[in-house]
């Protein structure tokens, strides 16, 4: 079975490591000043096509060579020369010396140095000189070229080395050369080229060996083609080859990546039956499989079993266990494994520590993460950017921006370059803390110091500006984003459209919507839903209808969020019949109504005074098994209390507690307000205050004033004092504030006491701003399809 016939191609993006040396100095014009200073040693990056930028040859390199230098002396000098350009110039100087003919080792050293920095034009010149000098060339010299081209992603050129070997140097590539080429192509995820090279290998009659099959099997497993990989393994026998440990282990790993751990265990049984010896490599792959399945106990038992059979755990074993335990949430056990690792004489590496720190940060255990960081430093294991970014990001999410800033200073002082992720975490933390001005200062310094903001940076700041109503500044940032060459995605435009709609600037939102087509940015369902919702709130239903038609023409199907926006409009307008028609249309189009749909419809019915119909709808929905949210109950509760149907309202509230989602703060506010104004027994309102405070809800003070007046009129001041004490305890009022409030109560200045308590509680409410009340914001966005 040929490789070509069984490989289904899949794109495999290459990971890229971007680094940007810069002087990191941030000075912000605010009391919360951030100031880092770090000046890393500059380095030169040479592109794949660059052959310019020639520097002067190091005089010291030449002085070390006498006029009658030997081949070994030149070779040693070249190896010590760290600057590739100087090495090439030294080589050129040597070529001009009388009677000098470079050895193959010298050519190889020069080619390695040039290939390391991608000076392929210069490499071409060296190859030409090799041909002119009639140097006896061996196949291995071209391995340098293949690896160098692959390093810079020049895979077609790497394949072209085969032609250079045959046509220019009359060398026939053998199995090892093809294996090397196949392997770099697989590692580079260039699976179509793997197919091409394998076909070429077959056509030239080059016999595959075990390594060839292992590489092809690895390619198939990468393409999620496990069955063809197994058939490829079975084909080995037709060439007189026997699968080795790498063959079996590669297929095991393929099964594990597919989530089929049983398949991996079956392959291991085949390996044992074939009497193929195994090493820690196979065992570690299986341990990783157990951990990925969440079978931590089985993983530990397997380690114990293998240890008893003479396979001692190695560094990778411990790291795999630590990673598995962290992902499963067993942080304490992961720390124990780290201790065992240290006791066994293994030094945890950057992966060990980063895994633990990531696991702790996922649980917001920042102090413990800092302890691991300190342990890491004490063991002379240098943290990297990933280490710091993990902790900084968690600190910012936990509103510890100042601590995160201090850690960023440490990052710089330790010689670890802060990258765009570091800046993004700090900027996000500042935005969430409503410190927008400082965030913009940091953004400007980030840009000025050579660290290019990415799409996430711009989108965060644009979202922040839109939430603050600073729409002109948001548009200005969009233009800056364009001029800097940063790609603008549908997320950027959706954020802007949402911001303009929420600020009642629908015309501008429509302009941005049209601009997307001009800029070649594809719209998505959220784009349409955002604008439809904005137009619906402005009662521009003709445009909504046109937009929905356009949405369908572009291949997008209206979803529940689209229909819920229309439903909300008709409910606000009191057109219950039209609202019911929307629900019917929604259902007939295969879009099932959800809790938000029914909650909106029930709310509209209550506003239209059709409480009985709303109640009947609620009960029919419940009978169909849908658990209703408080938003569906609250409008009916309010309407019943307004009609003084207190008993019926309380029955519905108790039914909600037992059969629906737990009542929310609005539910408690509605019931308490109804009990206080409904003329019912005052004791019922008192009992409800106790009940709602037990559930963590503070009474609404306008209603509580009414209750207080009733208690005072009935000479029940002691009950009022006990309720105030209860509220203060639940709200954790400070001792000085409590003393002041109790002082007013003792001298019977009840109104002053309540006003003071209300002021204290109001002062603790978070101010409106970017990132505050995010849970409520998320729920609102969810209701209209923005998330």
């Amino acid at each position: 079975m040929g490789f070509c016939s069984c490989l289904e191609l899949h794109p495999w993006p290459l990971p890229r490591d971007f680094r940007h040396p810069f002087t990191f100095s941030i000075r912000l014009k605010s009391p919360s000043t951030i100031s880092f200073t770090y000046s890393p040693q500059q380095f030169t990056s040479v592109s794949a096509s660059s052959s310019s930028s020639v520097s002067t040859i190091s005089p010291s390199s030449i002085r070390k060579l006498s006029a009658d230098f030997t081949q070994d002396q030149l070779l040693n000098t070249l190896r010590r020369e760290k600057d590739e350009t100087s090495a090439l110039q030294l080589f050129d100087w040597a070529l001009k010396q009388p009677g000098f003919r470079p050895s193959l080792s010298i050519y190889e050293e020069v080619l390695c140095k040039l290939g390391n920095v991608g000076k392929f034009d210069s490499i071409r010149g060296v190859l030409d000189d090799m041909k002119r000098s009639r140097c006896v060339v061996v196949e291995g010299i071209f391995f340098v070229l293949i690896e160098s081209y692959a390093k810079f992603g020049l895979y077609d050129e790497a394949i072209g080395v085969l032609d250079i070997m045959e046509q220019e140097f009359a060398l026939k590539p053998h199995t090892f050369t093809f294996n090397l080429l196949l392997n770099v192509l697989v590692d580079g995820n260039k699976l179509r080229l793997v197919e091409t090279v394998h076909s070429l290998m077959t056509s030239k009659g080059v016999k595959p060996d075990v390594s060839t099959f292992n590489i092809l099997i690895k390619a198939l497993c990468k393409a999620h083609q496990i069955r063809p990989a197994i058939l490829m393994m079975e084909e080995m026998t037709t060439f007189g080859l026997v699968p080795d440990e790498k063959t079996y282990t590669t297929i095991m790993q393929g099964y594990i990546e597919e989530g089929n751990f049983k398949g991996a265990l079956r392959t291991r049984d085949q390996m044992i039956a074939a009497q193929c010896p195994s090493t820690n490599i196979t065992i570690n792959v299986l341990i990783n499989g157990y951990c990925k399945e969440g079978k931590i106990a089985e993983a530990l038992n397997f380690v114990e079993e293998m240890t008893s059979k003479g396979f001692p755990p190695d560094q990778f074993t411990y790291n795999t266990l630590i990673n598995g335990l962290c992902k499963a949430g067993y942080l304490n056990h992961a720390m124990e494994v780290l201790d065992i690792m240290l006791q066994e004489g293994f030094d945890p590496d950057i992966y060990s520590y980063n895994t633990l720190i990531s696991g702790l940060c996922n649980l917001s255990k920042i102090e413990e993460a800092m302890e691991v960081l300190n342990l890491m430093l004490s063991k002379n294991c240098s943290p990297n950017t990933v280490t710091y970014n993990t902790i900084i990001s968690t600190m910012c999410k936990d509103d510890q921006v100042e601590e995160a800033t201090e850690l960023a200073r440490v990052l710089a002082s330790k010689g670890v370059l802060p990258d765009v992720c570091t800046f993004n975490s700090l900027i996000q933390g500042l935005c969430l803390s409503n410190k927008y001005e400082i965030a913009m200062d940091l953004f400007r310094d980030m840009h000025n110091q050579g660290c290019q903001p990415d799409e996430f940076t711009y989108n965060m700041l644009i979202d922040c500006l839109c939430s603050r109503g600073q729409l002109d500044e948001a548009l200005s940032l969009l233009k800056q984003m364009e001029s800097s060459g940063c790609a603008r995605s549908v997320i950027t435009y959706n954020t802007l459209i949402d911001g303009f709609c929420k600020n009642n600037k629908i015309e501008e939102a429509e302009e941005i919507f049209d601009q997307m087509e001009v800029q070649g940015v594809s719209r998505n369902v959220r784009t349409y839903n955002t604008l439809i919702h904005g137009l619906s709130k402005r009662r521009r239903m003709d445009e909504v209808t046109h937009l929905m038609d356009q949405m369908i023409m572009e291949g997008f199907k209206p979803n529940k969020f689209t229909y819920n926006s229309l439903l909300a409009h008709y409910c606000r307008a009191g057109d219950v019949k039209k609202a019911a028609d929307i629900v019917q249309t929604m259902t007939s189009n295969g879009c099932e109504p959800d809790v938000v749909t029914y909650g909106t419809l029930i709310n509209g019915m209550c506003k239209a005074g059709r409480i009985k119909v709303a109640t009947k709808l609620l009960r029919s929905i419940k009978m169909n098994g849908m658990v209703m949210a408080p938003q569906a109950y609250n409008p009916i509760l309010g309407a019943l209390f307004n009609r003084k149907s207190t008993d019926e309202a309380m029955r519905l509230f108790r039914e909600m507690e037992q059969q629906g989602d737990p009542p929310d703060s609005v539910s408690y506010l509605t019931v308490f307000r109804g009990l206080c104004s409904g003329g019912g027994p005052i004791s019922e309102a008192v009992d409800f205050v106790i009940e709602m405070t037990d559930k963590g809800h503070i009474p609404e003070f306008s209603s509580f004033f009414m209750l207080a007046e009733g208690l005072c009129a009935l000479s029940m001041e002691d009950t009022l004092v006990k309720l105030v004490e209860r509220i203060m305890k639940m709200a954790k009022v400070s001792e000085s504030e409590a003393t002041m409030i109790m002082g007013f109560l003792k001298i019977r200045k009840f109104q002053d006491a309540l006003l003071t308590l209300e002021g204290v509680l109001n002062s603790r409410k978070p101010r409106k701003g970017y990132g505050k009340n995010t849970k409520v914001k998320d729920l609102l966005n969810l209701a209209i399809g923005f998330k």
Side-chain angles (χ1 to χ4, degrees):
M1 179 181 181
F3 178 81
C4 312
S5 61
C6 60
L7 177 61
E8 181 180 325
L9 295 171
H10 294 266
W12 292 83
L14 282 171
R16 296 187 182 275
D17 180 24
F18 293 102
R19 295 183 63 199
H20 44 79
F22 58 88
T23 301
F24 190 41
S25 176
I26 303 174
R27 294 169 297 280
L28 304 181
K29 310 177 187 75
S30 83
S32 302
T33 302
I34 303 176
S35 179
F36 308 143
T37 303
Y38 177 54
S39 300
Q41 184 179 359
Q42 302 293 310
F43 65 89
T44 304
S45 175
V46 185
S47 67
S49 60
S50 173
S51 61
S52 57
S53 305
V54 178
S55 61
T56 305
I57 184 171
S58 171
S60 60
S61 297
I62 297 177
R63 280 199 298 267
K64 291 177 182 177
L65 293 175
S66 59
D68 57 346
F69 64 89
T70 65
Q71 299 273 356
D72 287 342
Q73 288 173 335
L74 176 60
L75 181 60
N76 290 332
T77 305
L78 285 170
R79 286 173 176 169
R80 288 193 299 269
E81 181 57 67
K82 294 181 180 181
D83 180 75
E84 291 78 11
T85 303
S86 295
L88 180 62
Q89 291 186 336
L90 175 61
F91 175 69
D92 289 340
W93 172 83
L95 286 176
K96 296 173 183 176
Q97 305 310 305
F100 173 70
R101 287 187 62 186
S103 66
L104 186 61
S105 297
I106 290 174
Y107 278 122
E108 184 177 8
E109 181 63 29
V110 173
L111 289 172
C112 283
K113 285 190 177 296
L114 295 174
N116 191 47
V117 293
K119 289 194 172 183
F120 295 111
D121 289 346
S122 298
I123 284 177
R124 181 67 262 178
V126 173
L127 290 175
D128 290 342
D129 189 79
M130 290 172 70
K131 285 190 292 183
R132 285 193 298 270
S133 68
R134 300 185 183 278
C135 175
V136 179
V137 180
V138 297
E139 192 172 357
I141 200 78
F142 295 96
F143 300 164
V144 176
L145 270 68
I146 292 172
E147 290 176 337
S148 298
Y149 279 124
K151 177 181 176 181
F152 287 90
L154 302 172
Y155 295 102
D156 289 329
E157 289 81 352
I159 297 172
V161 173
L162 299 176
D163 290 334
I164 294 174
M165 290 174 65
E166 290 190 278
Q167 296 174 15
E168 298 187 33
F169 291 89
L171 279 177
K172 180 182 178 182
H174 292 96
T175 304
F176 189 89
T177 302
F178 276 102
N179 286 351
L180 175 65
L181 186 53
L182 286 169
N183 197 52
V184 297
L185 292 172
V186 173
D187 288 344
N189 298 311
K190 298 297 178 182
L191 302 185
R192 190 177 298 279
L193 294 179
V194 171
E195 180 181 339
T196 301
V197 172
H198 181 246
S199 298
L200 183 64
M201 181 180 181
T202 304
S203 67
K204 289 181 177 293
V206 179
K207 290 186 177 181
D209 60 10
V210 175
S211 293
T212 312
F213 278 97
N214 286 344
I215 294 164
L216 296 176
I217 287 168
K218 179 169 71 170
L220 289 166
C221 289
K222 269 198 164 192
H224 307 290
Q225 300 293 302
I226 301 299
R227 180 60 185 162
I230 293 170
L231 294 175
M232 179 73 70
M233 180 175 70
E234 293 171 354
E235 190 182 340
M236 292 175 71
T237 55
T238 62
F239 289 85
L241 302 172
V242 178
D244 62 6
E245 181 192 18
K246 185 174 286 187
T247 318
Y248 288 108
T249 304
T250 301
I251 290 178
M252 288 181 207
Q253 184 65 32
Y255 271 124
I256 290 168
E257 291 298 323
E258 290 285 288
N260 185 359
F261 187 57
K262 289 182 179 178
L265 292 177
R266 285 197 304 271
T267 304
R268 182 188 177 231
D269 291 339
Q270 293 173 11
M271 183 178 179
I272 293 171
Q275 296 183 341
C276 177
S278 60
T279 65
N280 274 28
I281 295 172
T282 305
I283 295 178
N284 286 335
V285 165
L286 289 169
I287 292 169
N288 180 51
Y290 279 115
C291 290
K292 285 193 75 171
E293 290 281 302
K295 298 178 178 179
I296 305 300
E298 290 90 334
L300 294 170
N301 290 334
F302 182 67
V303 172
E304 186 177 355
E305 177 191 345
M306 291 297 102
T307 303
S308 67
K309 292 182 179 179
F311 289 95
D314 59 15
Q315 182 113 359
F316 190 86
T317 312
Y318 287 114
N319 282 347
T320 304
L321 287 172
I322 289 171
N323 184 52
L325 288 164
C326 285
K327 286 186 175 179
Y330 299 111
L331 273 303
N332 291 334
H333 293 83
M335 293 295 292
E336 290 174 10
V337 171
L338 184 73
D339 290 338
I340 295 171
M341 188 177 183
L342 290 165
Q343 291 168 17
E344 292 296 318
F346 291 98
D347 290 326
D349 56 15
I350 188 74
Y351 179 84
S352 318
Y353 289 113
N354 281 356
T355 301
L356 274 171
I357 288 171
S358 177
L360 291 165
C361 285
N362 286 339
L363 297 177
S364 295
K365 295 187 175 182
I366 298 174
E367 291 184 8
E368 291 88 337
M370 290 299 295
E371 289 176 7
V372 174
L373 176 62
N374 291 331
L375 174 64
M376 185 178 185
L377 293 168
S378 70
K379 295 294 181 181
N380 295 321
C381 181
S382 299
N384 60 12
T385 310
V386 174
T387 318
Y388 286 107
N389 283 352
T390 303
I391 301 176
I392 287 170
S393 176
T394 307
M395 285 179 168
C396 290
K397 289 174 184 176
D398 284 3
D399 199 22
Q400 298 183 32
V401 184
E402 291 184 8
E403 293 85 345
T405 302
E406 180 58 34
L407 187 57
R409 291 194 191 98
V410 175
L411 182 154
S413 67
K414 296 291 182 183
V416 182
L417 283 174
D419 60 9
V420 68
C421 294
T422 318
F423 283 106
N424 282 349
S425 294
L426 290 170
I427 289 171
Q428 184 180 41
L430 291 165
C431 288
L432 291 173
S433 302
N434 206 26
K435 297 175 181 175
Y436 169 72
E437 289 77 12
I438 305 176
M440 281 305 296
D441 280 341
L442 183 56
F443 168 75
R444 281 186 286 269
D445 280 324
M446 167 191 185
H447 196 278
N448 292 337
Q449 297 298 332
C451 181
Q452 185 64 34
D454 61 11
E455 182 188 345
F456 184 73
T457 321
Y458 284 106
N459 286 345
M460 269 193 305
L461 292 169
I462 288 172
D463 186 34
C464 182
L465 287 165
C466 288
S467 69
R468 293 163 59 91
Q470 296 175 250
L471 302 177
D472 290 339
E473 291 87 339
L475 288 175
S476 175
L477 207 55
L478 179 70
K479 291 178 181 177
Q480 184 177 338
M481 190 176 183
E482 179 182 9
S483 63
S484 68
C486 183
R488 293 165 295 173
S489 70
V490 65
I491 297 172
T492 314
Y493 284 100
N494 285 350
T495 303
L496 284 164
I497 292 170
D498 182 31
F500 277 94
C501 285
K502 285 179 177 175
N503 284 277
N504 295 318
K505 295 192 174 184
I506 302 299
E507 290 76 13
E508 291 88 339
E510 290 178 297
E511 287 178 11
I512 295 169
F513 180 87
D514 294 335
Q515 198 180 107
M516 292 179 72
E517 188 172 2
V518 176
Q519 296 295 333
V521 179
S522 299
R523 306 176 183 111
N524 60 17
V525 174
R526 179 180 170 182
T527 317
Y528 281 100
N529 284 344
T530 306
L531 193 53
I532 286 170
H533 181 73
L535 290 166
S536 297
K537 289 186 76 174
R538 293 287 294 272
R539 303 181 180 181
R540 291 164 60 170
M541 301 311 291
D542 289 341
E543 293 174 67
V544 168
T545 303
H546 173 74
L547 199 59
M548 286 188 68
D549 290 340
Q550 183 180 342
M551 178 182 184
I552 293 167
M553 286 180 63
E554 286 197 19
F556 299 112
K557 188 177 179 181
N559 58 20
K560 59 186 177 182
F561 306 116
T562 322
Y563 290 113
N564 285 344
S565 292
L566 302 179
L567 185 64
H569 162 74
Y570 289 114
C571 286
R572 281 193 299 267
D575 193 343
V576 178
K577 184 180 182 306
K578 187 66 176 177
D581 290 342
I582 292 293
V583 177
Q584 182 64 41
T585 304
M586 183 177 181
T587 306
S588 62
N589 286 340
C591 185
E592 284 297 318
D594 61 2
V595 174
V596 175
T597 310
Y598 288 119
T600 305
L601 186 57
I602 288 169
N603 187 38
M605 288 177 173
C606 290
K607 285 183 177 179
R610 303 178 67 177
I611 302 172
K612 287 186 178 180
V613 179
T615 305
K616 186 177 180 180
L617 176 60
L618 176 63
R619 297 195 185 285
S620 66
I621 295 166
K622 285 164 54 182
M623 288 180 66
N624 289 332
M626 183 178 288
V627 177
M628 297 304 294
Q631 288 86 344
Y633 286 91
N634 293 341
I636 302 177
L637 286 173
L640 289 171
F641 277 119
N642 288 338
R643 290 191 172 190
K644 308 300 180 185
S645 301
T646 304
D647 292 341
E648 188 178 351
M650 287 307 298
R651 280 196 299 272
L652 184 63
F653 179 77
R654 298 306 175 193
E655 181 183 303
M656 173 187 177
E657 286 184 307
Q658 296 170 6
Q659 300 177 16
D661 281 344
D664 60 7
S665 57
V666 176
S667 311
Y668 281 103
L669 183 149
T670 303
V671 173
F672 180 61
R673 182 184 295 163
L675 291 173
C676 290
S677 60
I682 197 168
S683 59
E684 192 172 3
V686 171
D687 291 340
F688 195 76
V689 172
I690 295 170
E691 179 182 341
M692 69 188 299
T693 51
D694 282 343
K695 297 289 178 65
H697 298 281
I698 295 175
E700 181 217 10
F701 258 77
S702 61
S703 301
F704 191 73
F705 273 113
M706 294 171 58
L707 176 61
E709 288 178 2
L711 291 171
C712 291
L714 295 172
S715 300
M716 297 175 66
E717 291 88 351
D718 290 344
T719 301
L720 175 59
V721 171
K722 289 178 181 177
L723 292 178
V724 171
E725 288 178 333
R726 186 180 189 86
I727 293 170
M728 288 195 299
K729 183 178 180 181
M730 196 208 100
K732 296 181 180 178
V733 172
S734 69
E735 187 176 344
S736 59
E737 292 167 338
T739 301
M740 183 189 304
I741 293 165
M742 291 305 296
F744 283 126
L745 291 174
K746 285 179 181 178
I747 60 176
R748 302 181 64 79
K749 289 190 174 183
F750 298 111
Q751 187 174 4
D752 290 341
L754 295 178
L755 287 172
T756 304
L757 178 57
E758 183 183 22
V760 169
L761 296 177
N762 285 340
S763 68
R764 298 185 176 192
K765 291 180 181 177
R767 296 178 182 177
K768 292 182 179 180
Y770 180 83
K772 298 300 182 182
N773 298 319
T774 52
K775 187 174 182 182
V776 175
K777 182 180 178 182
D778 287 344
L779 287 172
L780 291 172
N781 285 335
L782 181 63
I784 56 177
F786 293 165
K787 293 292 181 184

